[in-house]
């Protein structure tokens, strides 16, 4: 989490918005500095953005010190921030989203807590696919490539793309883009 570079954090969202057909409802995992949130709000097709953030201070700082970095995104009427652990929240299966963008770790193979590792395992990927509406797209941020994660994504989702995002002065960041499961039976619970 840093204020000096927002390229891949924004691309995490832009890549999903570019391929989603009707991106109205967006779920973001990890508020951070709010770059990803700001990128979602830049798209006028987006009517609501729900952000799940585990650290209450991060939410508080986004209302004060960090607000300029996201163009005061918490003030936007489309934004709802939920103070919760994403790992638990996704299993409540509350709502449907055309776009889901997740950036809570350094990547699937380098998580910030041991508990977060579960996000990249099958049961969480299935819970996330249940939260995706028809034509939905999900993206994951990573600081390093993860071929094993790509394989796991392929078991749950229809199409998986690995995007390397070149960075000045250090190794590329990665964005993993996946779309709906092959044979979804979806009930839209708008
Ligand atoms: C790298 S930052 C996100 C950066 C963000 N994409 C941006 O544009 O600034 C990761 C965020 O995820 C949060 N986080 C970490 N584990 C989480 C969890 N289990 N549930 C929800 N949020 C979590 C951290 O507190 C932090 O705010």
């Amino acid at each position: 989490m840093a204020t000096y570079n927002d390229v891949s954090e924004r691309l995490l969202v832009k890549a999903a918005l570019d391929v989603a057909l009707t991106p109205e409802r967006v779920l973001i995992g990890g508020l951070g500095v709010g770059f990803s949130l700001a990128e979602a709000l830049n798209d006028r097709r987006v009517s609501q953005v729900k952000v799940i953030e585990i650290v209450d201070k991060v939410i508080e700082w986004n209302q004060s010190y960090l607000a300029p970095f996201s163009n005061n995104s918490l003030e936007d009427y489309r934004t709802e921030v939920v103070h919760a652990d994403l790992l638990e929240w996704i299993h409540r299966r509350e709502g449907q989203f055309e776009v889901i963008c997740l950036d809570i770790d350094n990547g699937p193979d380098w998580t910030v807590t041991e508990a977060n590792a579960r996000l990249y395992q099958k049961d969480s990927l299935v819970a996330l696919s249940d939260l995706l509406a028809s034509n939905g797209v999900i993206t994951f941020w990573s600081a390093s490539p993860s071929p094993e994660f790509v394989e796991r994504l392929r078991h749950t989702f229809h199409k998986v793309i690995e995007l390397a995002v070149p960075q000045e002065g250090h190794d590329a960041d990665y964005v993993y883009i996946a779309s709906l499961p092959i044979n979804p039976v979806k009930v839209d619970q708008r």
Side-chain angles (χ1 to χ4, degrees):
M1 180 170 154
T3 54
Y4 56 83
N5 186 352
D6 61 352
V7 175
S8 57
E9 285 83 356
R10 287 184 179 274
L11 196 64
L12 175 80
V13 175
K14 192 168 184 325
L17 290 172
D18 282 353
V19 290
L21 293 179
T22 52
E24 290 175 33
R25 296 160 295 178
V26 177
L27 175 69
I28 291 179
L31 176 59
V33 180
F35 293 135
S36 302
L37 169 60
E39 188 65 30
L41 294 169
N42 273 345
D43 191 321
R44 301 320 295 178
R45 298 172 298 170
V46 170
S47 60
Q48 50 173 279
V49 186
K50 194 183 282 260
V51 185
I52 313 298
E53 170 56 49
I54 198 169
V55 177
D56 55 357
K57 282 286 174 203
V58 169
I59 300 172
E60 206 181 299
W61 293 337
N62 270 267
Q63 288 158 336
S64 53
Y65 315 116
L66 296 176
F69 294 101
S70 71
N71 200 19
N72 286 303
S73 287
L74 263 57
E75 298 296 312
D76 192 294
Y77 69 95
R78 294 170 292 165
T79 302
E80 180 192 354
V81 180
V82 179
H83 179 212
D85 182 343
L86 182 71
L87 274 297
E88 287 168 14
W89 190 88
I90 58 172
H91 292 281
R92 296 185 206 161
R93 287 173 164 79
E94 283 174 10
Q96 292 271 280
F97 304 88
E98 284 80 24
V99 167
I100 300 178
C101 303
L102 303 180
D103 176 14
I104 64 168
D105 293 301
N106 297 317
D109 305 323
W110 184 10
T111 59
V112 294
T113 64
E114 227 172 89
N116 276 4
R118 189 177 160 203
L119 181 68
Y120 310 95
Q121 299 303 323
K122 189 177 167 108
D123 70 322
S124 298
L125 297 180
V126 169
L128 288 164
S129 74
D130 285 347
L131 288 169
L132 268 187
S134 307
N135 301 314
V137 180
I138 184 166
T139 56
F140 295 82
W141 191 92
S142 181
S144 53
S146 180
E148 291 87 2
F149 181 54
V150 170
E151 275 315 301
R152 251 173 279 137
L153 282 174
R154 289 208 168 108
H155 280 112
T156 308
F157 296 95
H158 174 47
K159 199 172 177 187
V160 180
I161 296 169
E162 180 187 78
L163 202 64
V165 188
Q167 298 292 309
E168 243 183 74
H170 64 90
D171 292 345
D173 291 336
Y174 289 80
V175 172
Y176 291 100
I177 309 166
S179 56
L180 263 189
I182 292 167
N183 195 16
V185 178
K186 289 278 166 196
V187 179
D188 210 339
Q189 305 158 351
R190 193 184 292 244

